[in-house]
Amino acid sequence: MTVNQVKVYSTVSIILIGVLLSGIVSLQTSESSLAHANGILIDFEKYDTTWFEYDLNVSHNPISLLDKCCKENNYEYTMEKGVVTEINGVSNNDTHSWGLWYVVKNSTSWSKSDSYDIDMRNYSIVAWAYRDSETTPTVAVDATGVSIYGYPQAMRIVTLSPVATETVGALKATGAIVGMDYYSNYPNSLNKARTEGRIATVGTYTDPSYELIMKQSPDIVIADSTQYNQVQVAKAIRDAGVNSVALYQGEDMDTIYDNTFIVGTAIGYEMTAKNIIAEDGLGAKAVASKVAFTDKKRVMVALSPDSAPYVAGNYTYVNDIINTISAENAFGSMKGWAHANTEMIAQKNADVIIIVTESYKATQAEWDYMYSHLPDAWKLTNAYANKEIYLVTGKAADLASRAAPRFPQLSELLAEIIHPDSFETEVPKYIGDEYRDYLTITKYLSYDN
C-alpha cells in the first residue's frame, strides 16, 4: 500500500467510519459518570454567558443562586409579580424574555421550565437565559450531556481527533497539548513538537489508547463524539477522575461555533473562543457577500473520482457552506456523507465537481490522468463537458475534511472555484498544500502557531 493510499483511507475513515458508527451507537453515558456543574449560568445572548460556581448542596434554588451570582458580578436584577424581568440592564420586551432553562441528565437538549421551583441538583445544568420564543440557550453540555462549565484552567491537554486539535490550535493553546491522535497535523508547530518528543501520540482516530492517554497525566481530554471508541474512552477517563468533553458531529457551521465554545470554556479560554467565533462569522459573511448576486450552480463534492463515490449531502458542514455561497448542493437531498450510485451522478448533473482526495497530487499531470480516467457516468455531466472538475488534495484536503474553525477558508476556496468571475485570484484545477496562496478574504484566519 502506498503512502498516498494510507492517507486516503485515513481521511475517509475520519469523515465516514466515525459518522456511520455514531448513527448506530448511543452516545449516552451512565448517570454516574456525568460531571454535574456546581453553579448556575446566566445567558444574555449567543455565547455571552456568565458562570457562577456554587456548591449546590448548600443552595440549589435558582432564585437564590441568581441573587448570589448578581451580587458577585455587580449585576442588578428585577422581579415583578414573581417573574424575573431584567438582569444587568437587559429587560423583557415584546419578543425576548428571561426564562429558566435546564438540561436533563443524559440529554443534550435544553428545556424551559414552567416554574422557578426546581431542584438544580436534578439536572446537568440550569441557566437563566434571555431568548425569544424560537431560540434555545447557548450550548452548555457536550455531546454526551456533560457540563462544559466548572473546569479548572487546563495545563495539560490531550486531543483525540484532528478537529479537536485544530480547535485548541485556533484558541492559541497548543502549548498545553501533551498528547494527540496520529492524524492530527495542524497547526504545523505540533508536528515539530511530536518529532521532538514533547507531544505524545495516543492512538488513532478510531482507536485511542486509554493507557497512553492517562500516561500523559492530562487535566482534560477532548474527544470527538462521531467515533464510538472515543466516547467510551472519554467516559472511562472521566470515571477515573480526569475531565473530558466530547465534541458534536460537525453537521453545520453553527456546530463548529458550538464546538469552539465548548473547548474554549472547558480549557479556560472562553474569551478567546468568543473572539474566534466572531472572526469566523465575519470571514464567512464576507465570502458570502462576495458572491451574493451570482447565478447558482449545482455542485457535487466527492471523496473520490469513483463510479459510486461518497458525496457530501445534507447535515454536513460542506453542504452548509455550499448553501451560503450562492450554490446548490446536487446531493443535498441525501444525508451526511452518502454513497451515490452510478446512475445518480448523471441524474444530478452537477455544473461543478470538487474531489477531496489524497489519491492524487496537485499537479497538471495528475489532474490530466484523473480527468482522462473518469467513469462514463461522470462524462455525462456539465462539469465534465466544461472541464469544471477540481482536485482538492494535500493540506487543502485536510481543510475540506475537518469541521474546524478554519472553515471560512474552505468557504473562500469553494467560492473561488464555483464563481471565478467574482474574484481576482485565479484558482487552478488542482489545489494542494499551497491553498493559502489563493486566499485573500480569509487568509488571516490561519493559526500556524
Side-chain angles (χ1 to χ4, degrees), residues 315-352:
Y315 297 102
T316 64
Y317 85 106
V318 171
N319 175 77
D320 204 20
I321 288 175
I322 290 172
N323 290 335
T324 66
I325 55 175
S326 192
E328 176 188 353
N329 186 358
F331 290 87
S333 60
M334 302 181 75
K335 184 176 181 179
W337 287 94
H339 201 187
N341 60 45
T342 302
E343 290 77 13
M344 294 179 70
I345 302 297
Q347 290 173 357
K348 299 297 185 180
N349 190 21
D351 299 307
V352 178

Side-chain angles (χ1 to χ4, degrees), residues 264-306:
T265 301
I267 70 173
Y269 283 67
E270 185 174 338
M271 288 304 300
T272 306
K274 292 177 182 179
N275 290 337
I276 293 296
I277 292 167
E279 289 178 357
D280 277 358
L282 290 174
K285 288 179 180 178
V287 172
S289 64
K290 188 77 172 177
V291 296
F293 301 104
T294 56
D295 294 333
K296 284 190 175 183
K297 296 181 182 178
R298 291 172 60 83
V299 180
M300 166 180 147
V301 177
L303 295 180
S304 69
D306 298 336

Side-chain angles (χ1 to χ4, degrees), residues 121 186 242:
R121 293 172 297 183
Y186 191 92
V242 177

